[in-house]
Amino acid sequence: MRPWRDGPGDRRSYHHGNLKEALIEAARRFIAERGIGGFALVDAARLVGVTPAALYRHFRGREALLEELAGRGFAELAARLARALTSRGTPLERFTRMGEAYLAFAEEEPAYYAAIFETRGMPAEPSDTEAPPGRPSPFDLLVEALQATFADGFGGVAPRFIALEVWALAHGIATLSAAGHLPRGPGFPDKYELLRAGVLALVHGVAQPGGPRNAV
């Protein structure tokens, strides 16, 4: 992977004070192409064309750079989800569209997506102390969306329970799709069809009178 020229990593951009942005873009490119597991600060420096020591003017380490990348990715994801939830259609259609936006984001922005979960994770029992102020976790966002979209609730089932199932479904599909493990071909649904069917099954299953989850 060669250093960039005439682009975000051009040395001339650095001399104009754009090193931070160049490093973020370099990290985003590297992770999108090679995955987050092998990413190190020296990789960003190599792509930009500066010495590793220059990076520490803006980031104290690998985790700080990933946290910046994750913050930007989460802002983009939140904006996409918000657009889906305010689009036309029934509440269920809008919520399903939110899941589709999630899958599209995971496919189109693999570096952002990987950084979000590398730096934040998804606690099974979210705590107010685990999320920085003004930046809710993906789980919190799902719970809020469920409560806003399905104001009548789920027959006594806690929205966080449904949100966890929906998130697990969307994240699982996104992960399998990225790894190329989703079956394809005649008779198999694509990932969007699979998500829609799963969301419908979850929501309608909970809403059924006397359903097993009404006792949860």
Side-chain angles (χ1 to χ4, degrees):
M1 192 178 294
R2 296 185 300 274
W4 294 332
R5 291 294 180 267
D6 299 324
D10 191 352
R11 289 178 186 269
R12 289 173 297 178
S13 295
Y14 164 55
H15 291 312
H16 283 89
N18 293 326
L19 178 58
K20 180 178 179 180
E21 293 302 317
L23 292 172
I24 292 169
E25 186 59 29
R28 183 180 176 189
R29 173 184 170 183
F30 183 97
I31 295 169
E33 293 181 1
R34 301 191 184 182
I36 200 167
F39 173 71
L41 281 179
V42 67
D43 297 311
R46 187 178 297 114
L47 278 173
V48 172
V50 298
T51 64
L55 279 67
Y56 291 95
R57 300 176 187 176
H58 299 283
F59 299 102
R60 64 183 180 276
R62 175 182 184 272
E63 294 307 311
L65 177 52
L66 291 180
E67 182 64 30
E68 177 70 24
L69 196 66
R72 296 185 181 206
F74 189 83
E76 171 64 21
L77 174 59
R80 294 189 185 205
L81 298 182
R83 287 195 295 269
L85 286 171
T86 56
S87 59
R88 295 182 179 180
T90 67
L92 184 56
E93 288 172 340
R94 293 195 299 271
F95 185 73
T96 303
R97 206 168 291 134
M98 177 185 179
E100 294 169 353
Y102 184 99
L103 292 184
F105 173 81
E107 178 181 359
E108 296 165 7
E109 298 289 352
Y112 279 161
Y113 189 76
I116 287 171
F117 294 102
E118 174 81 4
T119 59
R120 293 295 308 280
M122 173 66 71
E125 290 291 337
S127 168
D128 291 339
T129 63
E130 294 178 348
R135 186 178 161 199
S137 71
F139 184 88
D140 295 331
L141 194 61
L142 275 175
V143 172
E144 293 172 7
L146 276 167
Q147 291 173 327
T149 305
F150 303 100
D152 293 336
F154 299 95
V157 179
R160 65 182 180 84
F161 184 83
I162 309 304
L164 183 57
E165 289 190 318
V166 171
W167 178 81
L169 173 67
H171 186 65
I173 292 173
T175 302
L176 288 171
S177 177
H181 293 320
L182 278 182
R184 298 179 180 179
F188 288 104
D190 65 24
K191 62 183 178 182
Y192 296 102
E193 294 169 332
L194 190 60
L195 177 73
R196 286 192 290 269
V199 170
L200 287 172
L202 285 171
V203 174
H204 289 320
V206 172
Q208 288 296 323
R213 292 181 186 166
N214 287 332
V216 175

